[in-house]
Amino acid sequence: MAAVSLRLGDLVGKLGRYPPWPGKIVNPPKDLKKPRGKKCFFVKFFGTEDHAWIKVEQLKPYHAHKEEMIKINKGKRFQQAVDAVEEFLRRAKGKDQTSSHNSSDDKNRRNSSEERSRPNSGDEKRKLSLSEGKVKKNMGEGKKRVSSGSSERGSKSPLKRAQEQSPRKRGRPPKDEKDLTIPESSTVKGMMAGPMAAFKWQPTASEPVKDADPHFHHFLLSQTEKPAVCYQAITKKLKICEEETGSTSIQAADSTAVNGSITPTDKKIGFLGLGLMGSGIVSNLLKMGHTVTVWNRTAEKCDLFIQEGARLGRTPAEVVSTCDITFACVSDPKAAKDLVLGPSGVLQGIRPGKCYVDMSTVDADTVTELAQVIVSRGGRFLEAPVSGNQQLSNDGMLVILAAGDRGLYEDCSSCFQAMGKTSFFLGEVGNAAKMMLIVNMVQGSFMATIAEGLTLAQVTGQSQQTLLDILNQGQLASIFLDQKCQNILQGNFKPDFYLKYIQKDLRLAIALGDAVNHPTPMAAAANEVYKRAKALDQSDNDMSAVYRAYIH
């Protein structure tokens, strides 16, 4: 089959190792460099804020491959993206028809005007004489109008006059053309959700956000409506707000959804650990144009990322020594320590100025020990565990909790934007670890309660589906609730967040409570249920498999 030639403006579908998605080839921002290597196009995806350089071999004409994509991806968000494409095409077609109709009308008016402008010789002389008289009369009236206009302007404020006289700014489409304009990603501040999500301008801060995606709208509210906070810019795209109470807790609003485009750092990035979370993170770093060197204990997992443009590191020490900033994301405290202190480990590659960011969910004591040994060698350290799951990691929608070297946190800005929707800087080393364990303690306890409720419904003769429908209409409604209940109802426990890891986090959270003599009875009860699920061989299933602890 002959190769299909693609060009600017074409509708395309991205087909590859990730679920397919429709998009359009657009001009990239002027400051966004094109990746070296294979030929690629800059694609803006429908129904999302995403945009990226995509290799030509991964792009197919949208119309020719639409049905193929629909068969592969049956997700709700994908269907919304397809609807956005169809809506875009309908509006574009409507505009073309309107333009054609207007052009025809203009032509008819011109022809009619030409016919009327052909007078006979007698009429022509009379009209010429009349027109000369009108010109003289109008000149006199014109002087009066100028004088009158001056008096009118004198009664108006300078601001109002400026508003009346200033022409419409160049480059911004008129209102009736907004929906048909695909904005350059460097100018987009955020995208409204709905069928035309990728093709509308974000309202200003003073305007209400209407019909926005609930998840994204909640993010905006958290930044604009939170009381007793103040913002100050610390980098071009990074915001910090500090609580008036004097707390060291600092929140950063840093998101592709808000900023629209990402200019990748020119620093060399290393990444150690390609598990459920690490794989999605690395993919998004590469997609946004970062230079990444990867290492994984099981080397075969690196192959896919090498094909995507990553470089291969033979050992953790080699990755750290050749990169400016190295991230790591591993399973537990023991793995985190072995990665740094073990043979050919991170510590052996640390030199003055080298940066290490640990994204693993571990206890505060572990992360403090790692920070001390890194800094003792002249390195810089940041802890940055992430809240989310595999799907959110793939979508670049993680929440990053960071603590430690604040300068390094700022240096990681473009990386955090690529992998997450927001990031929080929480002060000194150990704070992020504590906060992450508390977050996962709440999540794990909630999951156990969901499973308990569904099994109680079943044994009392109530419909589990009806229970889910009721919950989804109430105050507990959330994506997490719906997805985990669907897992249980469908018996699908493919891991999105390993059960063994949420049990580990519960155990560490209980220990955190013990250290400060604070009771955690709810977490302790949930932990016992997860331990039973592990005994039933559910460790490598999704956390929702805790349900099976109640039915066996």
Side-chain angles (χ1 to χ4, degrees):
M1 183 176 176
V4 178
S5 177
L6 297 173
R7 59 185 179 180
L8 186 68
D10 282 353
L11 296 180
V12 293
K14 179 184 180 296
L15 297 168
R17 68 181 278 238
Y18 294 107
W21 208 270
K24 181 174 181 177
I25 298 175
V26 298
N27 280 318
K30 292 180 181 179
D31 57 352
L32 191 61
K33 297 178 182 178
K34 188 173 183 179
R36 295 187 297 271
K38 296 185 179 180
K39 185 179 179 182
C40 54
F41 285 110
F42 192 75
V43 177
K44 192 164 197 58
F45 295 103
F46 284 81
T48 75
E49 304 84 37
D50 287 345
H51 42 267
W53 290 105
I54 305 296
K55 294 178 182 177
V56 171
E57 57 264 29
Q58 294 180 349
L59 296 175
K60 304 293 180 185
Y62 171 74
H63 294 290
H65 293 268
K66 175 183 173 182
E67 296 304 322
E68 178 186 351
M69 290 193 294
I70 291 175
K71 288 180 181 178
I72 298 173
N73 194 342
K74 299 185 182 299
K76 184 177 179 181
R77 288 183 63 197
F78 173 77
Q79 186 54 55
Q80 290 174 344
V82 173
D83 292 342
V85 178
E86 300 306 317
E87 179 69 13
F88 172 71
L89 291 172
R90 280 195 295 271
R91 295 197 182 201
K93 185 177 180 181
K95 185 182 178 184
D96 289 343
Q97 290 175 345
T98 302
S99 299
S100 176
H101 181 70
N102 291 341
S103 177
S104 178
D105 288 348
D106 290 343
K107 186 176 180 181
N108 291 334
R109 282 195 293 270
R110 283 197 302 272
N111 290 339
S112 177
S113 176
E114 287 172 2
E115 289 177 4
R116 287 196 301 271
S117 66
R118 295 172 185 161
N120 56 41
S121 59
D123 291 340
E124 190 172 346
K125 289 179 181 179
R126 283 194 298 273
K127 289 185 177 180
L128 190 59
S129 176
L130 287 170
S131 65
E132 288 176 356
K134 286 183 179 179
V135 167
K136 293 177 181 178
K137 183 179 180 181
N138 288 342
M139 286 176 67
E141 290 178 353
K143 292 179 181 178
K144 293 179 183 178
R145 281 197 297 270
V146 169
S147 175
S148 174
S150 299
S151 63
E152 286 178 7
R153 284 195 298 271
S155 65
K156 292 181 180 180
S157 68
L159 177 60
K160 191 169 183 180
R161 288 204 306 273
Q163 290 173 339
E164 289 177 352
Q165 293 171 4
S166 63
R168 181 171 62 83
K169 290 183 179 180
R170 297 175 62 186
R172 186 64 64 90
K175 289 182 180 179
D176 59 345
E177 292 180 1
K178 264 187 181 182
D179 289 344
L180 297 173
T181 303
I182 301 179
E184 293 274 341
S185 46
S186 62
T187 64
V188 177
K189 300 300 180 188
M191 307 295 182
M192 296 294 287
M196 291 297 292
F199 306 101
K200 291 187 179 180
W201 294 91
Q202 172 68 27
T204 62
S206 61
E207 297 174 347
V209 181
K210 298 180 180 179
D211 300 323
D213 177 78
H215 194 65
F216 179 51
H217 183 50
H218 175 70
F219 169 76
L220 289 179
L221 289 177
S222 72
Q223 305 308 322
T224 59
E225 297 182 7
K226 185 177 179 181
V229 296
C230 58
Y231 295 97
Q232 64 179 115
I234 59 172
T235 67
K236 188 175 182 181
K237 293 184 178 178
L238 192 62
K239 293 179 181 177
I240 292 284
C241 70
E242 193 163 0
E243 298 179 5
E244 290 181 352
T245 57
S247 167
T248 57
S249 185
I250 302 171
Q251 178 186 13
D254 211 6
S255 169
T256 58
V258 174
N259 292 317
S261 65
I262 297 172
T263 303
T265 179
D266 56 3
K267 297 182 184 295
K268 295 178 182 178
I269 304 300
F271 204 95
L272 312 175
L274 300 175
L276 287 184
M277 306 298 277
S279 294
I281 291 172
V282 170
S283 178
N284 282 308
L285 287 172
L286 290 169
K287 187 166 68 174
M288 295 304 171
H290 294 83
T291 301
V292 186
T293 300
V294 296
W295 173 89
N296 192 69
R297 186 176 56 184
T298 308
E300 291 76 16
K301 284 190 176 182
C302 297
D303 294 343
L304 284 173
F305 301 100
I306 303 303
Q307 294 173 16
E308 295 289 328
R311 301 170 183 176
L312 179 65
R314 292 175 296 180
T315 65
E318 181 183 283
V319 174
V320 173
S321 63
T322 57
C323 295
D324 301 305
I325 303 174
T326 300
F327 294 85
C329 187
V330 293
S331 58
D332 55 32
K334 182 179 184 305
K337 288 182 180 180
D338 289 345
L339 188 62
V340 173
L341 305 174
S344 301
V346 168
L347 195 59
Q348 294 185 21
I350 292 291
R351 302 287 184 275
K354 293 292 182 181
C355 303
Y356 186 63
V357 182
D358 195 336
M359 308 190 79
S360 314
T361 300
V362 298
D363 57 286
D365 289 342
T366 296
V367 79
T368 300
E369 179 183 345
L370 296 179
Q372 289 173 347
V373 296
I374 296 294
V375 173
S376 70
R377 294 284 185 93
R380 301 168 65 195
F381 182 86
L382 185 75
E383 58 167 330
V386 292
S387 178
N389 53 31
Q390 183 182 28
Q391 186 61 52
L392 293 175
S393 177
N394 291 342
D395 292 343
M397 294 293 283
L398 296 170
V399 175
I400 299 130
L401 310 182
D405 188 320
R406 180 162 164 174
L408 176 52
Y409 171 69
E410 295 174 21
D411 289 342
C412 293
S413 175
S414 74
C415 297
F416 287 160
Q417 289 179 73
M419 66 181 75
K421 68 173 182 177
T422 189
S423 58
F424 294 79
F425 183 78
L426 303 175
E428 64 184 24
V429 170
N431 285 345
K434 294 172 185 176
M435 185 67 81
M436 189 74 256
L437 291 177
I438 295 169
V439 168
N440 283 358
M441 178 189 77
V442 172
Q443 182 175 252
S445 300
F446 183 43
M447 181 67 251
T449 302
I450 292 171
E452 194 168 291
L454 286 171
T455 51
L456 182 58
Q458 183 180 39
V459 299
T460 56
Q462 305 304 305
S463 165
Q464 292 179 321
Q465 180 61 57
T466 300
L467 172 61
L468 173 57
D469 293 340
I470 293 169
L471 291 172
N472 276 335
Q473 293 300 315
Q475 293 178 319
L476 293 177
S478 65
I479 295 173
F480 178 83
L481 171 72
D482 185 62
Q483 287 180 342
K484 297 309 178 185
C485 285
Q486 292 293 351
N487 286 354
I488 291 171
L489 295 179
Q490 296 169 14
N492 175 19
F493 299 109
K494 181 181 178 182
D496 197 40
F497 191 120
Y498 283 117
L499 184 144
K500 61 185 177 184
Y501 292 158
I502 197 68
Q503 190 274 321
K504 175 262 297 182
D505 294 343
L506 280 166
R507 173 173 54 82
L508 293 176
I510 293 167
L512 177 62
D514 289 344
V516 292
N517 198 30
H518 181 78
T520 52
M522 304 302 292
N527 186 46
E528 293 304 315
V529 182
Y530 282 101
K531 284 163 64 176
R532 173 165 171 73
K534 286 177 66 177
L536 295 170
D537 201 26
Q538 300 301 309
S539 291
D540 292 324
N541 281 333
D542 186 73
M543 69 163 75
S544 53
V546 69
Y547 174 80
R548 289 179 169 167
Y550 286 97
I551 61 176
H552 287 86

